[in-house]
Amino acid sequence: MNARRVLAIDAGQSDIKVRMNDGQRREDLAFHGIHTGTPLLPQLAQVVKDTLARTGAELDVVTAGISGLTDRDADADALLSLIRDDGVRATMLAHDSTTSFLGALGDRHGAVVAAGTGVVTLAVGESDTARVDGWGWIMGDAGSGYWIGREALDAVMRAYDGRGPATVLTDAALSRWPDLTQAYMALQADHDRVRVVASLAREVAEAADAGDQVARDIARRAARELAHSARAAVGRVRTDEATFDVCAIGGVFSSRTLHAAFIDELDDGSGLRIVAPRGVGIDGALALADITAAHPLGSAVHRAGAI
């Protein structure tokens, strides 16, 4: 890393990771996840201010990879105006698919499937990039933690009604809502409903790995969705490469059942090769500071200020 003093933010729906690197020291912090129902940039500005207060650091540039970043919120100038008085001279914003890719594969060609609460796939070829999904819990995020949690709740209520087989996932639901008949009302009233539903993905992973057939079916269907997204993204950027690297990152892949099914889905003779990630999203958020406009991902970075 060069001499610039960087504060990098990896902003997800479940949590926000922060890394401060001023050239002399590096410090990592964590905050509660972004609230999608309230303005984004003031949340990021507060994270910057809280980090500075806790670390006493001085900064040149703030970079951020943001889950579900929209054109409306991708206003680097507006963020800079909120934190300029804190000594920040430049800001760089990108969708978390960009920073996930940089963290996992760096400057290599390939595809990264980043599956946590939500999911997005990004493929980078010789000159083109392709993003697949990442369209949020209402319209997309197939195979994500939320998707898995939603499928789990569906299975639980089917078992409750006698429309589906019994599953140990019922115990996970009961631990949150002792009266299952009232669970849907509680969720609808909960502003944190996306995170709550996504948190069930952990129990699905444990149940699937322990042999629960309902959970295993959910995990395998999630893997099928994630592999489908990977193939779609690669197909849009691949030229004449005999093999093309695919990297799977995020908490969803901590399920042994899901991860194995994902690998099986991609093992179709098309030359897609699973590779281990070099790092994680916060590493990519820090690397964002060195991305130039000439890089294939350069057009995906929103910039303001100068350093």
Side-chain angles (χ1 to χ4, degrees):
M1 196 70 191
N2 56 32
R4 287 175 296 177
R5 300 169 296 183
V6 180
L7 188 152
I9 301 172
D10 179 23
Q13 298 174 60
S14 297
D15 59 16
I16 297 174
K17 299 179 180 66
V18 173
R19 177 167 296 166
M20 185 281 298
N21 188 329
D22 65 4
Q24 301 298 319
R25 64 187 173 120
R26 191 184 90 173
E27 189 166 347
D28 289 336
L29 296 88
F31 298 87
H32 193 277
I34 56 177
H35 293 281
T36 56
T38 56
L40 169 67
L41 299 183
Q43 295 181 63
L44 296 183
Q46 191 60 52
V47 166
V48 173
K49 294 176 185 293
D50 289 347
T51 299
L52 294 178
R54 288 165 61 175
T55 65
E58 295 182 350
L59 300 175
D60 296 314
V61 58
V62 169
T63 65
I66 302 160
S67 173
L69 182 66
T70 64
D71 289 342
R72 179 193 65 189
D73 289 325
D75 191 339
D77 285 297
L79 178 60
L80 183 58
S81 71
L82 294 173
I83 55 178
R84 184 179 281 113
D85 290 345
D86 297 292
V88 179
R89 295 189 290 157
T91 54
M92 302 174 70
L93 305 180
H95 192 276
D96 67 338
S97 60
T98 298
T99 49
S100 292
F101 186 96
L102 290 171
L105 292 179
D107 287 335
R108 296 158 55 188
H109 298 167
V112 173
V113 183
T117 298
V119 61
V120 64
T121 297
L122 181 66
V124 176
E126 185 174 345
S127 58
D128 296 321
T129 65
R131 170 185 157 182
V132 170
D133 209 346
W135 305 130
W137 62 278
I138 294 176
M139 297 173 60
D141 285 353
S144 68
Y146 176 86
W147 186 97
I148 291 169
R150 172 64 180 80
E151 292 296 305
L153 289 175
D154 180 79
V156 166
M157 299 318 295
R158 285 179 180 274
Y160 179 86
D161 288 340
R163 294 178 292 133
T167 171
V168 298
L169 297 175
T170 296
D171 293 335
L174 285 170
S175 70
R176 292 165 171 81
W177 306 283
D179 183 353
L180 289 180
T181 66
Q182 299 302 304
Y184 75 104
M185 294 296 293
L187 272 175
Q188 289 177 23
D190 193 338
H191 294 296
D192 210 17
R193 66 182 73 90
V194 174
R195 185 194 61 80
V196 172
V197 172
S199 70
L200 284 160
R202 181 174 302 154
E203 278 93 348
V204 174
E206 293 172 354
D209 293 346
D212 182 85
Q213 289 305 309
V214 171
R216 289 178 69 82
D217 177 66
I218 294 172
R220 287 166 175 163
R221 286 189 286 116
R224 194 173 304 127
E225 293 285 358
L226 297 169
H228 185 45
S229 291
R231 284 192 296 268
V234 171
R236 287 166 52 186
V237 303
R238 192 175 187 177
T239 52
D240 58 355
E241 298 96 335
T243 60
F244 204 90
D245 291 345
V246 176
C247 189
I249 63 174
V252 162
F253 289 105
S254 63
S255 165
R256 297 191 305 273
T257 301
L258 186 150
H259 191 262
F262 178 76
I263 293 173
D264 288 343
E265 288 285 338
L266 290 184
D267 187 18
D268 59 0
S270 61
L272 298 184
R273 179 177 61 185
I274 299 292
V275 297
R278 294 180 175 181
V280 295
I282 192 62
D283 299 305
L286 192 63
L288 197 65
D290 291 325
I291 293 298
T292 67
H295 191 279
L297 291 170
S299 62
V301 182
H302 304 268
R303 309 165 187 268
I307 52 177

